[in-house]
Amino acid sequence: MAVPTSAFRRNAIFRERHLWVGTYNVSQTCTPAAGVDASISTQPTTTITTTAGSSVLSRGNNSNSTVTLSGTTIDSTPPAAANAVFSNVIGAGGTGSATLIVDGGTNTVNVGGSGLDALAITNANSGLSTFTVSAGTTLNILNSVVGNEHDGIDVNASGGGAINLTHEGNGQITLLGGNGIWTKASGSGDTNVSVGAGVSILVNNDDALSAGPPILDDTLPTAGVGNHAGVHTRAIDGNTTVVNAASVHFNLL
């Protein structure tokens, strides 16, 4: 059987990687040189199963980063902390934006082992961080790692930029040690979250490692049943706006 591969487009300012349809068992990444935009995308019926690192990673260094999933199944069981699907911008003083798009078909992301978040954005630059699930798209997430900060969708705009998260699709998000959706703005950045009625979130904190007393200071890491939420947002000197039509259920210790 031929091993699936991918097509590249590149020039001095961007690098795009389009995975061909197939089954992959190693991490699929796009990590160009500093100042070059990074982009990686999948096609329907693609399956990616990995036991180390992120299953899909796009990383820009003081540049833009984009991940696009379409009709894709991800199974990620890393032995050390890693996000299954990760759009990442690193570097100091840049204006790069970070984007993660789920568009079309049924998409499934399962996380086990010592994994962190199912789908994540971390943006150390001051550009916009955008997470989108389009209308008509199904996204099912199961993060079975117990403890804390093992979220379904996590957007961390540590560089001070704004966050826009829109989930217009449908599907189930199930967590054993984290939040369904967790957005973290910093500085004066705003965070805007909109989740539609087709989404169902189960926050299952019935494991002792995921339970515990509330932490009332929200500047500290969240822990236990007191702070794990279906939709959790934070802004420091900016504004936070949530429009949530999803159903949220809790299973507590």
Side-chain angles (χ1 to χ4, degrees), residues 216-229:
L216 300 181
D217 183 353
D218 198 40
T219 64
L220 298 174
T222 61
V225 297
N227 274 340
H228 286 161

Side-chain angles (χ1 to χ4, degrees), residues 116-169:
L116 285 177
D117 306 314
L119 300 102
I121 292 173
T122 299
N123 187 356
N125 280 191
S126 61
L128 185 65
S129 296
T130 304
F131 186 101
T132 304
V133 182
S134 63
T137 297
T138 298
L139 173 61
N140 293 314
I141 297 170
L142 172 60
N143 192 335
S144 59
V145 185
V146 299
N148 186 50
E149 290 289 348
H150 303 288
D151 306 308
I153 299 168
D154 184 290
V155 182
N156 183 0
S158 60
I163 297 171
N164 288 336
L165 187 151
T166 305
H167 192 332
E168 297 180 319

Side-chain angles (χ1 to χ4, degrees), residues 25-121:
N25 58 14
V26 294
S27 296
Q28 303 302 306
T29 65
C30 183
T31 56
V36 178
D37 292 345
S39 177
I40 187 168
S41 61
T42 68
Q43 298 184 59
T45 73
T46 294
T47 298
I48 303 172
T49 302
T50 60
T51 57
S54 295
S55 297
V56 179
L57 168 66
S58 174
R59 175 171 289 140
N61 186 340
N62 285 331
S63 58
N64 301 320
S65 171
T66 303
V67 173
T68 304
L69 296 184
S70 182
T72 297
T73 298
I74 307 285
D75 287 293
S76 178
T77 54
N83 299 309
V85 181
F86 193 21
S87 182
N88 184 209
V89 175
I90 62 174
T95 59
S97 63
T99 304
L100 204 163
I101 301 167
V102 186
D103 183 24
T106 297
N107 302 267
T108 301
V109 182
N110 299 318
V111 183
S114 297
L116 285 177
D117 306 314
L119 300 102
I121 292 173

Side-chain angles (χ1 to χ4, degrees), residues 153-200:
I153 299 168
D154 184 290
V155 182
N156 183 0
S158 60
I163 297 171
N164 288 336
L165 187 151
T166 305
H167 192 332
E168 297 180 319
N170 54 76
Q172 174 78 41
I173 302 174
T174 302
L175 300 312
L176 271 67
N179 304 284
I181 296 170
W182 186 193
T183 65
K184 295 169 272 193
S186 62
S188 59
D190 297 334
T191 177
N192 304 289
V193 175
S194 177
V195 185
V199 180
S200 178

